[in-house]
Amino acid sequence: MNSTVKNKKLSDWITEVAGMCQPDSIYVCDGSREEYDGMVEKLVLSGSAIPLKKRPRSYLFLSDPSDVARVEDRTFISTSSQAEAGPTNNWLDPAALKETMKSLYRGCMKGRTMYVIPFSMGPIGSPISKIGVEITDSPYVVVNMHIMTRVSSSVLEILGTDGDFIPCLHSIGAPLEKGQKDVQWPCAPMESKYISHFPEENLIWSYGSGYGGNALLGKKCLALRIASAMARREGWLAEHMLILRLTDPDGKQYHIAAAFPSACGKTNLAMMQPSLKGWKCECIGDDIAWMKIASDGRLHAINPESGFFGVAPGTSYDTNPMAMDTIRENAIFTNCALTDDGDVWWEGMTGDLPSHLIDWKGRDWTPESKADAAHPNARFTAAASQCPVICKDWENPDGVPIDIFIFGGRRGSVVPLVYEAFSWEHGVFLGATAASETTSANIGAIGNLRRDPFAMKPFCGYNMGDYFQHWLDMGERLGSKAPRIFYVNWFRKNQDGKFLWPGFSDNSRVLKWMCERVDNKTGARKSPIGLLPLEGALDLSCLSMGSEDMRELMSVDTAEWKAEIPDIEAHFAMFGKRLPQRLRKQLKDFSERLG
Ligand code: O2Y
Ligand code: MN
């Protein structure tokens, strides 16, 4: 070991894991730039990382074709009873799961180095932050964790001899026999991948995948699944939400947290540059928000991460110029295509197609090729501090006070551009029934409607019925200081299948209306689904949008909404007795309003 670990729980755990996984060596990370550079250099020499001539200190990794995304089917919430995990999670008995995984872990790091990564989610030392330690045999994970979390030996100092941390054990599950040559992206077959969470003991065990959310355990595993269970016990919120600061032309600030399912443009909204003159938008986080009620009685949010692990395809100077500038240097790319002059490329990055590429599977690609050049879930990893519009308060340990919550999803029809909840309780109903059409970049067949409550279906570490109750309880505690709740749909289409709303920077028009609602500057019209903007209340200045299109975009067709009721009923029925009575009542009231 290259450093002395003074924390008893940590040194005992390292010894235990090393005994089980049998690595050739152990390395405790310090989070330094030299460490990062040294690791990347080794990854380049081994052929795992491709240095990009066109982007300073940036590298491309190509994964095994079987290891390209989070694997929901292999993700488990292992609580003592299945009821605690609830109907939206895969469950296995903890003792049985640990036995299975121990047999996989035995000897799984042979021929490899075992890295110990001490990290903080949230600013180091902040009272809202949590400390984790990831043990992994993947140097790719180490370099990504350097960007996505705060890896530092000062985390070990804060831990002292008896401080507590969340143990996150990860192995790619590909031991090397003596003399065996490594492959570019080692991992285990699908059936032996396990992404396991033990929320009752704040423990994460991941095996077999080296990709993203399966392997960078600070993100979805700790900051959402384990943290959501901790948040419920401790009375706060760990949510799948971007955080942004919007400033109006008079300098008044509004803080917005928004939950959309994966692949609905959270990173784009988080970094959006308003088309409205005089309005400013700054990014605080693009994926996860931890929120606590502060001494002012308001809900304050921090971004526990320190980087972005964004979807590359579709990201361009048109859709998200701030993300494009964030990744100009010091970036890691995974499963993007490689250009002949040593840059990355992906579908939607440029109007013109390159004449030749190496695709994410390492094959020659030309515009005639049938297959995508980049995988639809190809990713960039870059430090939040590199974002040109990162908010100066993004690392404020006290967080920012949230004024507005937004829920939403991708719906080609039925759901209007924006509406407001009647109350906190109605807002919880909107979050609990949120639904989105699946795309090629996420789960399920394209175009299926998937209910994804609060965009937390894959990330809630306990029974979602209890999660709904936790939101209702938080509303009680917040009282009149609770953020206002809105629902949006940027993706409604007309009869010809064309998007009705331009989206991106024009979404600022919708955010402006929300701010005006918060300040009681504009009224709203009541509809069965919620409060809609008054005619002409949305600022459409300098936007060429026909009034017919606008009417269609905002229309609420009672028959279409009635047709949604059986699906909502079936969705709620899953939770049985754990569904809060108040949500049952919300559904009844909604049906009655529809007539
Ligand atoms: O496929 C993966 O492993 C990445 S998933 C992801 C990454 C960053 C932000 N959000 C998500 C998500 O699935 O919500
Ligand atoms: Mn996400």
Side-chain angles (χ1 to χ4, degrees):
M1 245 190 280
N2 60 329
S3 131
T4 327
V5 172
K6 293 189 223 91
N7 184 278
K8 169 106 174 64
K9 172 175 163 180
L10 181 55
S11 62
D12 287 354
W13 184 53
I14 294 171
T15 307
E16 183 197 333
V17 172
M20 178 168 68
C21 300
Q22 299 164 36
D24 282 10
S25 56
I26 302 175
Y27 176 88
V28 181
C29 299
D30 62 16
S32 64
R33 186 79 223 193
E34 298 71 52
E35 179 175 275
Y36 180 90
D37 289 343
M39 302 271 299
V40 167
E41 203 178 301
K42 278 197 199 137
L43 284 160
V44 171
L45 284 176
S46 73
S48 288
I50 303 165
L52 297 169
K53 282 197 217 96
K54 287 282 184 163
R55 284 180 203 247
R57 297 153 85 104
S58 298
Y59 304 88
L60 171 64
F61 290 82
L62 301 178
S63 82
D64 186 276
S66 69
D67 198 23
V68 292
R70 288 188 293 104
V71 281
E72 293 191 8
D73 287 354
R74 306 297 310 162
T75 299
F76 299 93
I77 299 296
S78 185
T79 38
S80 37
S81 78
Q82 182 159 14
E84 287 312 308
T88 58
N89 284 311
N90 298 314
W91 177 85
L92 286 171
D93 170 70
L97 178 56
K98 281 185 182 169
E99 271 323 297
T100 307
M101 290 192 73
K102 274 184 191 166
S103 67
L104 293 166
Y105 279 134
R106 217 159 283 134
C108 70
M109 295 187 187
K110 275 186 188 159
R112 302 195 181 274
T113 299
M114 177 176 120
Y115 300 96
V116 179
I117 314 171
F119 64 95
S120 176
M121 296 309 291
I124 294 176
S126 155
I128 308 186
S129 301
K130 300 274 179 207
I131 290 178
V133 179
E134 177 159 351
I135 289 185
T136 180
D137 50 5
S138 162
Y140 167 84
V141 166
V142 177
V143 291
N144 277 274
M145 286 292 284
H146 262 241
I147 297 174
M148 295 304 298
T149 72
R150 284 125 174 135
V151 177
S152 169
S153 26
S154 58
V155 168
L156 291 179
E157 273 151 38
I158 287 172
L159 273 186
T161 51
D162 55 3
D164 204 10
F165 64 92
I166 298 157
C168 311
L169 174 55
H170 171 251
S171 171
I172 50 175
L176 286 170
E177 295 305 327
K178 283 228 156 49
Q180 186 184 342
K181 198 175 169 302
D182 208 357
V183 294
Q184 206 180 353
W185 185 280
C187 63
M190 189 58 87
E191 63 281 6
S192 50
K193 290 190 209 299
Y194 286 87
I195 321 300
S196 304
H197 308 74
F198 305 92
E200 289 155 350
E201 44 184 319
N202 291 344
L203 176 67
I204 302 164
W205 281 10
S206 168
Y207 181 90
S209 166
Y211 202 87
N214 305 329
L216 312 178
L217 301 186
K219 193 174 181 56
K220 302 298 185 180
C221 299
L222 192 162
L224 286 177
R225 299 194 190 98
I226 293 296
S228 61
M230 294 174 98
R232 177 186 171 221
R233 291 194 296 263
E234 296 167 7
W236 51 284
L237 293 169
E239 298 300 325
H240 189 205
M241 289 183 173
L242 66 88
I243 314 167
L244 63 83
R245 170 181 288 171
L246 193 64
T247 308
D248 77 7
D250 296 330
K252 181 163 183 202
Q253 295 176 349
Y254 303 84
H255 295 100
I256 300 180
F260 304 125
S262 311
C264 283
K266 285 222 319 284
T267 306
N268 292 345
L269 185 63
M271 298 180 189
M272 183 263 290
Q273 290 309 285
S275 55
L276 287 174
K277 216 168 146 256
W279 287 75
K280 191 165 111 183
C281 185
E282 293 160 292
C283 176
I284 295 169
D286 80 329
D287 197 39
I288 299 175
W290 283 359
M291 290 169 282
K292 289 195 173 164
I293 301 177
S295 51
D296 60 3
R298 300 185 67 194
L299 199 55
H300 283 239
I302 67 156
N303 168 12
E305 302 191 278
S306 63
F308 308 118
F309 188 67
V311 184
T315 307
S316 71
Y317 273 101
D318 286 334
T319 61
N320 193 341
M322 295 303 117
M324 292 301 281
D325 280 348
T326 304
I327 58 177
R328 281 160 80 116
E329 54 187 10
N330 299 313
I332 294 173
F333 298 90
T334 309
N335 287 346
C336 301
L338 179 67
T339 67
D340 292 348
D341 59 354
D343 200 359
V344 277
W345 190 87
W346 48 76
E347 277 66 23
M349 184 201 235
T350 53
D352 297 335
L353 302 182
S355 56
H356 177 262
L357 296 164
I358 300 297
D359 76 5
W360 72 277
K361 287 187 173 169
R363 304 169 305 193
D364 285 307
W365 182 97
T366 66
E368 286 72 47
S369 300
K370 293 254 176 341
D372 286 339
H375 187 277
N377 193 38
R379 296 276 166 171
F380 55 77
T381 322
S385 58
Q386 291 185 187
C387 178
V389 289
I390 198 74
C391 178
K392 70 171 172 37
D393 279 324
W394 84 280
E395 297 199 274
N396 186 336
D398 298 330
V400 295
I402 297 298
D403 300 284
I404 291 168
F405 277 133
I406 307 178
F407 300 120
R410 177 186 289 270
R411 296 295 302 268
S413 59
V414 185
V415 182
L417 176 65
V418 60
Y419 56 104
E420 185 185 348
F422 297 123
S423 62
W424 179 269
E425 194 170 293
H426 181 231
V428 173
F429 174 75
L430 299 185
T433 54
S436 196
E437 282 151 19
T438 51
T439 68
S440 60
N442 62 22
I443 308 299
I446 298 174
N448 275 358
L449 191 66
R450 168 169 136 128
R451 296 261 160 222
D452 188 349
F454 293 76
M456 282 288 279
K457 184 172 185 281
F459 308 121
C460 184
Y462 61 100
N463 189 309
M464 198 137 224
D466 296 342
Y467 169 93
F468 299 154
Q469 185 60 53
H470 180 49
W471 264 80
L472 293 170
D473 295 343
M474 289 296 287
E476 294 283 317
R477 284 175 57 203
L478 285 160
S480 63
K481 295 191 172 161
R484 296 271 276 268
I485 302 180
F486 297 83
Y487 199 97
V488 300
N489 173 28
W490 315 131
F491 303 96
R492 196 164 188 177
K493 291 178 179 166
N494 66 12
Q495 313 284 0
D496 306 328
K498 292 223 171 73
F499 288 117
L500 284 158
W501 181 245
F504 304 108
S505 55
D506 287 313
N507 291 337
S508 57
R509 300 169 190 277
V510 176
L511 304 190
K512 178 184 174 187
W513 178 73
M514 294 174 184
C515 297
E516 287 170 351
R517 288 291 300 151
V518 166
D519 290 341
N520 292 320
K521 282 188 185 157
T522 183
R525 72 199 151 91
K526 210 169 165 216
S527 85
I529 64 168
L531 298 166
L532 297 167
L534 296 173
E535 190 93 22
L538 274 181
D539 184 346
L540 302 180
S541 53
C542 308
L543 186 69
S544 58
M545 184 151 180
S547 53
E548 202 39 58
D549 276 354
M550 197 57 208
R551 208 161 299 129
E552 200 176 340
L553 181 61
M554 291 308 306
S555 66
V556 176
D557 181 320
T558 321
E560 283 178 348
W561 280 96
K562 270 188 191 166
E564 300 258 312
I565 297 283
D567 190 61
I568 298 176
E569 281 169 350
H571 167 60
F572 272 4
M574 266 198 310
F575 303 104
K577 285 209 176 74
R578 301 250 185 167
L579 182 78
Q581 197 50 43
R582 285 153 73 189
L583 289 191
R584 230 181 281 276
K585 170 85 167 48
Q586 281 290 332
L587 177 56
K588 186 168 167 281
D589 292 351
F590 179 40
S591 296
E592 283 169 13
R593 286 196 302 273
L594 288 169

